[in-house]
Amino acid sequence: MVSASVAPSSASEALPASEDFAARQLSRIWQEQLAVDTVSLDQNFFDLGGDSSLAVRMFSEIEQVFGVKLPLATLYEAPTIEELARILRTEVSTSRWSSLVAIQPAGARPPLFCMHGAGGTVLMYRELSRHLGDDQPVYGLQAQGLDGSSPPLTKIEEMAALYVKEIRQVQPRGPYFVAGYCMGGTVAFEVAQQLCQQGETVALLALFDTMNWHKIPLTMWSKISHASQQLFFHTGSFLSLDTAGRAKFLREKVRDLKNRIPVWKGMLLSKFSRRSRNEVSDSLVLGRIWQANDRASWNYVAKPYPGTVTDIRPATQYRIFNKPETKWEQLAQGGQEVIVLPVNPASMLVEPFVEQLAATVRRSMDAAIRRCDVGSSSETAAKNV
């Protein structure tokens, strides 16, 4: 049901008369949320300064105006007013919601599947995908429950089982290329486990700054130590850059902070809110998902993995994480490749440092592709003997 109670602003009325109600209303919403005077139908939400914090508010207003609840990851499929209006015209319902998000579906290379972090969304992989190139397909797996209609999953094994099903709808057979940042690496580890158990080949399991969280004690001291070092690392990252790099880094960190605000708000609401299920806010949804994912990652007991682990680490690490038992050497039965990037923690997905991560992932994928090609050739030759 489309509400006609919201009148277009004067800026929206500047759109060509041929544009329909959906485009006009979206134009008004974008102008208000992005604080811009005009916006064209083909301008990209992210290029205009949009981030997941703004997307939360924007999609909440879209739901009020159009009566349709869309996941934040719709912005990957439809980052412009024109494309988003096309989706709204079809009156997409929550039944169409999927954990699988096509971040960048084009390209002839094998797809890379990236798992969500604690926040549940996959918007953090946008810059990585852009630097990987137009020929590299990238898919994200977002958390169940972001649509507000399903409860978040509470176990890493349950998440992985769902994501494996989604992955195999896009790519029925291996070899698979799986990755994840922070808590997302934990999910990627279990996804690779389950793919191997199903008889499939995992060509690359790449963990970005991921620990074996179950081995890390959660104490008041560890939390204080982490918070103090975090400020130190962010300062070090900033000072290591030139003027242009510092501007990029500050923009990214301000964006990250804004993205966290709805989550923190949701965590507080989850403690005090008594609203009914139909009155659950987007912030409350994000807060509950973050809490569920945090608990799941700390409760997950990783088992030995039959394949190889590519462990991509920052050059420095938090003291509480920098212990042998938090790493993956003892679990990687097929061996481990450790790649150290010249970055601080919480920086490898942030501009301008993400370009180094993209180059590393690209090289690791190329090496894995060559190994698979050699293996296939050897197998074919053996059959012909």
Side-chain angles (χ1 to χ4, degrees):
M1 178 74 66
V2 175
S3 171
S5 61
V6 182
S9 66
S10 59
S12 296
E13 290 172 347
L15 287 169
S18 60
E19 296 304 328
D20 63 10
F21 178 84
R24 288 174 178 272
Q25 290 300 316
L26 286 174
S27 179
R28 177 189 61 80
I29 293 170
W30 282 39
Q31 289 164 25
E32 292 175 355
Q33 297 298 335
L34 294 167
V36 295
D37 294 330
T38 60
V39 56
S40 63
L41 300 183
D42 60 352
Q43 282 185 286
N44 189 291
F45 174 79
F46 298 104
D47 293 341
L48 289 168
D51 52 38
S52 59
S53 177
L54 287 172
V56 168
R57 298 199 297 268
M58 183 178 76
F59 276 45
S60 178
E61 188 166 354
I62 287 174
E63 183 180 6
Q64 292 177 23
V65 174
F66 295 95
V68 175
K69 188 175 183 65
L70 299 174
L72 297 183
T74 304
L75 286 170
Y76 278 130
E77 180 184 351
T80 69
I81 288 176
E82 184 177 28
E83 293 165 325
L84 194 55
R86 188 179 303 124
I87 287 179
L88 287 169
R89 290 187 205 108
T90 65
E91 297 187 19
V92 179
S93 67
T94 54
S95 62
R96 186 176 177 270
W97 191 90
S98 171
S99 288
L100 189 76
V101 178
I103 298 174
Q104 203 295 98
R109 289 167 61 84
L112 175 67
F113 296 95
C114 296
M115 308 297 134
H116 66 81
T121 72
V122 292
L123 296 177
M124 63 182 176
Y125 294 116
R126 178 177 180 265
E127 296 304 319
L128 173 63
S129 172
R130 188 171 65 83
H131 285 292
L132 283 172
D134 295 338
D135 62 336
Q136 177 58 62
V138 178
Y139 291 86
L141 279 300
Q142 61 184 347
Q144 176 178 294
L146 284 173
D147 59 349
S149 63
S150 302
L153 297 175
T154 58
K155 294 183 179 179
I156 297 295
E157 293 88 348
E158 295 174 346
M159 299 176 196
L162 172 62
Y163 304 158
V164 165
K165 289 180 181 178
E166 299 271 16
I167 288 170
R168 298 197 72 171
Q169 288 183 10
V170 174
Q171 183 184 345
R173 300 298 304 273
Y176 292 99
F177 296 76
V178 184
Y181 173 76
C182 198
M183 178 261 181
T186 306
V187 179
F189 185 88
E190 179 60 26
V191 165
Q193 287 273 36
Q194 295 190 20
L195 285 169
C196 289
Q197 291 167 7
Q198 294 176 16
E200 295 295 339
T201 299
V202 177
L204 178 69
L205 168 59
L207 310 183
F208 308 153
D209 198 3
T210 299
M211 306 296 126
N212 188 353
W213 309 110
H214 186 70
K215 298 291 186 178
I216 300 172
L218 283 178
T219 64
M220 182 62 69
W221 163 248
S222 67
K223 292 178 181 179
I224 293 173
S225 173
H226 182 274
S228 61
Q229 281 192 287
Q230 190 173 44
L231 178 60
F232 173 81
F233 286 138
H234 287 339
T235 302
S237 297
F238 176 78
L239 294 176
S240 70
L241 299 169
D242 59 18
T243 302
R246 289 178 181 181
K248 282 185 178 180
F249 183 77
L250 278 179
R251 284 197 298 269
E252 289 289 314
K253 282 303 172 186
V254 168
R255 181 176 297 181
D256 285 346
L257 178 61
K258 290 169 65 179
N259 291 343
R260 292 292 181 94
I261 290 174
V263 177
W264 293 333
K265 178 182 176 183
M267 288 180 175
L268 288 174
L269 287 173
S270 67
K271 294 181 181 295
F272 305 110
S273 175
R274 295 182 178 179
R275 290 181 293 182
S276 68
R277 183 179 182 83
N278 292 332
E279 297 175 308
V280 173
S281 70
D282 291 311
S283 292
L284 186 56
V285 168
L286 291 173
R288 287 176 175 173
I289 287 175
W290 195 297
Q291 290 176 321
N293 286 338
D294 261 351
R295 285 194 296 268
S297 60
W298 252 271
N299 291 334
Y300 175 66
V301 180
K303 298 176 182 178
Y305 171 64
T308 302
V309 172
T310 300
D311 187 348
I312 302 178
R313 306 175 181 176
T316 52
Q317 191 52 269
Y318 294 102
R319 283 190 294 270
I320 59 171
F321 297 166
N322 203 19
K323 300 175 182 179
E325 61 267 25
T326 67
K327 311 302 181 184
W328 303 95
E329 287 92 338
Q330 297 179 357
L331 296 173
Q333 296 179 327
Q336 180 180 232
E337 180 185 12
V338 176
I339 302 174
V340 179
L341 299 182
V343 300
N344 288 320
S347 294
M348 64 173 63
L349 280 177
V350 178
E351 292 282 12
F353 302 108
V354 66
E355 190 171 355
Q356 300 177 52
L357 175 61
T360 298
V361 172
R362 180 99 182 186
R363 286 193 296 269
S364 296
M365 289 191 69
D366 288 342
I369 291 170
R370 288 194 294 270
R371 287 194 297 270
C372 290
D373 290 343
V374 170
S376 298
S377 299
S378 301
E379 185 177 340
T380 300
K383 290 180 179 179
N384 293 332
V385 172

